[in-house]
Amino acid sequence: MHYFVALINRVLRCSGAQVLRYRGFALIEVVMGIGLFLLFDAGVYAGALFVSKSIYNSRLRILEGGILNEQVEMIRNLAYADVGIAGGSPSGVLLRTVTTTRNGIDFIITRTIRSIDDPYDGMIGGSPNDIAPADYKLVHLEIVCDGCVQQNPLSFFTHAGPRTLEGDPTHGALFIQVFDAVGAPVSNASVHVIATSTQPAIDLTDTTDQSGMLKLVDLPSGINAYEIVITKAGYTSEQTIESSPSIPNPVHPLASVVAQDVTEVSFAIDRVSSLIFTALDGTCTVIPDISFTLRGTKLIGVSPDVPKIDELITVDGGGVFTRGEIDWDNYSILPSGYDLIGVIPQLPIPLSPGVNQPSQIILGSNTPRSLLVNVRDGVTLQSVNSATVMVIDSEDTLMKITDTPPN
């Protein structure tokens, strides 16, 4: 008991309060006094920590604001033709991303510069048609502390205008539209545009706006010169493909830009999905280590048709294979060394965006000649049981009745 009284007296002396006497105080009162003091002390500590973090964040913002002001002054002192990203559109002398250090802290600066078609003198492709649509440049600067807990970037926008007339009349515009499986616009999709044969060469990365559109209004002209790659985290990807002997007629060929004209291209991406296959025999026993071809209906080339997904996959020792990060599509399968008796769900396997679709593959012994017939309703596309199927050749006629589809 004397120990606790001595302890609380020491605490009270530090706070300037009156010292307790042992006589008349119970142990529970002493313990409660210590608890109250610790709560008070914890509150003081939390308050001091909050003030310290606020001062630190304010210091970062002051440093970031000063760096952005320096960037703006540097850009304002450039010639108008030099205000742009090296390899970008508009082309210039600036790097897209740079790192600078202040007071021992590293900051990452990201620059985005776009040519703007102002409606004051008409729009490209509009009425009146603005044949020189690069009216001025929008400069977007963004800075963030590298390695700091605070990762909210500070942004600044400004404009740069030419002293005389508008941009190069030999340039044209490229409008890139990105939408999803149901035709809704996909915003904030990353668009990587590369053109090595133009003057100057182009290598830029930008993002689509809320309408799923990226408008590049000041690109050097070139026929089949622009490679475009569309990506977004958690989504499928699309891109242009250069014509080759294996894909002579790509669905998305390299894009062209015509002087004083607009080229419009569109791409479809959506959330990635997964197909989980389980190989079984007619008695629902797992069949391990078999291979089959997985093929989708989406094409990257026509005449001849070249499917986007056409690959050989093999189930593991448990008869299971998972094909992840795959496009929404309808998929067919062709087993190797077995007859395909049926698939749950029915063939072709429908795969929606953003789902994990399980599928059971029912296999039978390989026969010299076999035929799998799926009979479906023409409106609902559901399987039709008890339908009569007749197979007729020059020598014989075979009649079969479709089974009730498995659950």
Side-chain angles (χ1 to χ4, degrees), residues 280-327:
L280 305 170
D281 63 16
T283 63
C284 293
T285 302
V286 169
I287 303 177
D289 305 320
I290 69 160
S291 299
F292 58 90
T293 300
L294 176 67
R295 182 175 298 142
T297 62
K298 286 185 179 181
L299 302 178
I300 58 174
V302 295
S303 301
D305 289 349
V306 181
K308 184 176 183 179
I309 301 295
D310 187 5
E311 56 194 37
L312 184 68
I313 62 179
T314 303
V315 299
D316 59 21
V320 177
F321 179 86
T322 299
R323 176 55 166 89
E325 297 190 353
I326 195 172
D327 289 44

Side-chain angles (χ1 to χ4, degrees), residues 4-15 19:
F4 288 105
V5 173
L7 178 61
I8 193 62
N9 282 338
R10 185 179 303 172
V11 172
L12 293 173
R13 287 193 189 96
C14 294
S15 63
V19 177

Side-chain angles (χ1 to χ4, degrees), residues 139-197:
V139 180
H140 175 208
L141 301 175
E142 190 175 84
I143 187 170
V144 67
C145 174
D146 184 25
C148 296
V149 175
Q150 173 184 286
Q151 288 293 319
N152 295 322
L154 183 65
S155 296
F156 185 85
F157 291 86
T158 188
H159 296 90
R163 290 179 179 272
T164 55
L165 297 179
E166 299 162 316
D168 194 332
T170 65
H171 286 197
L174 179 61
F175 289 6
I176 302 168
Q177 176 74 56
V178 183
F179 53 87
D180 64 14
V182 297
V186 178
S187 61
N188 295 319
S190 176
V191 181
H192 189 190
V193 180
I194 303 172
T196 58
S197 61

Side-chain angles (χ1 to χ4, degrees), residues 181-224:
V182 297
V186 178
S187 61
N188 295 319
S190 176
V191 181
H192 189 190
V193 180
I194 303 172
T196 58
S197 61
T198 58
Q199 293 296 327
I202 299 296
D203 186 351
L204 67 88
T205 300
D206 211 325
T207 56
T208 55
D209 59 19
Q210 291 300 313
S211 63
M213 180 76 76
L214 174 62
K215 296 181 179 181
L216 303 171
V217 300
D218 190 25
L219 290 175
S221 57
I223 303 300
N224 296 329

Side-chain angles (χ1 to χ4, degrees), residues 60-145:
L60 285 180
R61 285 304 189 203
I62 292 172
L63 290 173
E64 290 170 345
I67 295 172
L68 287 184
N69 285 333
E70 293 175 4
Q71 290 287 310
V72 171
E73 290 303 318
M74 181 266 293
I75 291 173
R76 286 175 176 170
N77 283 289
L78 291 175
Y80 181 75
D82 292 334
V83 179
I85 305 300
S89 175
S91 180
V93 299
L94 300 172
L95 297 178
R96 176 168 171 78
T97 303
V98 293
T99 301
T100 185
T101 302
R102 295 295 166 84
N103 295 353
I105 303 173
D106 293 332
F107 296 92
I108 299 176
I109 304 168
T110 302
R111 305 162 174 146
T112 302
I113 301 177
R114 297 186 178 95
S115 293
I116 302 299
D117 185 7
D118 195 285
Y120 177 79
D121 59 346
M123 303 285 288
I124 185 169
S127 180
N129 183 26
D130 186 1
I131 62 174
D135 297 319
Y136 58 88
K137 298 174 182 178
L138 173 67
V139 180
H140 175 208
L141 301 175
E142 190 175 84
I143 187 170
V144 67
C145 174

Side-chain angles (χ1 to χ4, degrees), residues 228-240:
I228 304 170
V229 181
I230 310 296
T231 58
K232 185 175 181 178
Y235 279 61
T236 59
S237 62
E238 280 286 353
Q239 67 181 72
T240 57

